[in-house]
Amino acid sequence: MDALYPRLLVRDFPASAAFYQAVLRELLGVEPVKVLPGYANWDIEGQAGLALFGRDRLAAAVGTADLPETAQGAAQDTAMLVMKVDDVDAAAACLARHGATVAAPPQDRPDWAPTLRTAHLRDPEGNLIELQSY
């Protein structure tokens, strides 16, 4: 049973699905388990790793389709995806090749943990992704 996993609610499902399909294939060697209109999911080592769901589909399902979307102006992030990788620099380059934007380039973070190296990028929807190795 998959107890807990991230599901991103995305506006542009085709762009998000293409981004994560390319990135997860290149970084982790995983293919999507399922890709349907408005839904995709990936498993990692037999457990749910990530799911994408069209924001409009969920809004219709829970009765919020008539409400405004969250403002997309400047604000602090409230969540992020974290991926442990072998090489932060190479992984950051991979995500950027597939359309991610760099929020903070690869750097050592000894004040967070003695051997931690991170990079922070945003996927095509603006979701924050942390790449880390330690």
Side-chain angles (χ1 to χ4, degrees):
M1 178 172 103
D2 298 317
L4 213 52
Y5 61 92
R7 178 179 291 172
L8 297 178
L9 306 177
V10 298
R11 285 181 193 82
D12 185 345
F13 179 83
S16 293
F19 173 80
Y20 282 103
Q21 190 164 358
V23 166
L24 294 175
R25 177 184 298 131
E26 191 168 328
L27 290 181
L28 303 176
V30 298
E31 295 295 330
V33 172
K34 186 184 302 182
V35 178
L36 303 170
Y39 179 82
N41 71 291
W42 291 260
D43 285 358
I44 300 169
E45 297 178 6
Q47 297 291 315
L50 175 66
L52 301 179
F53 201 86
R55 186 179 282 194
D56 57 339
R57 292 184 66 203
L58 187 64
V62 300
T64 60
D66 294 334
L67 297 177
E69 291 188 20
T70 304
Q72 292 302 304
Q76 293 182 352
D77 295 286
T78 59
M80 74 176 167
L81 294 177
V82 179
M83 293 186 211
K84 184 178 179 193
V85 297
D86 291 331
D87 183 334
V88 168
D89 297 73
C94 169
L95 269 67
R97 270 195 317 278
H98 292 289
T101 57
V102 176
Q107 56 193 286
D108 295 328
R109 300 274 188 184
D111 53 322
W112 292 5
T115 61
L116 182 64
R117 185 167 179 78
T118 68
H120 293 87
L121 298 98
R122 294 192 183 281
D123 74 6
E125 289 278 323
N127 295 303
L128 188 61
I129 301 168
E130 178 178 280
L131 302 171
Q132 60 174 235
S133 66
Y134 49 89

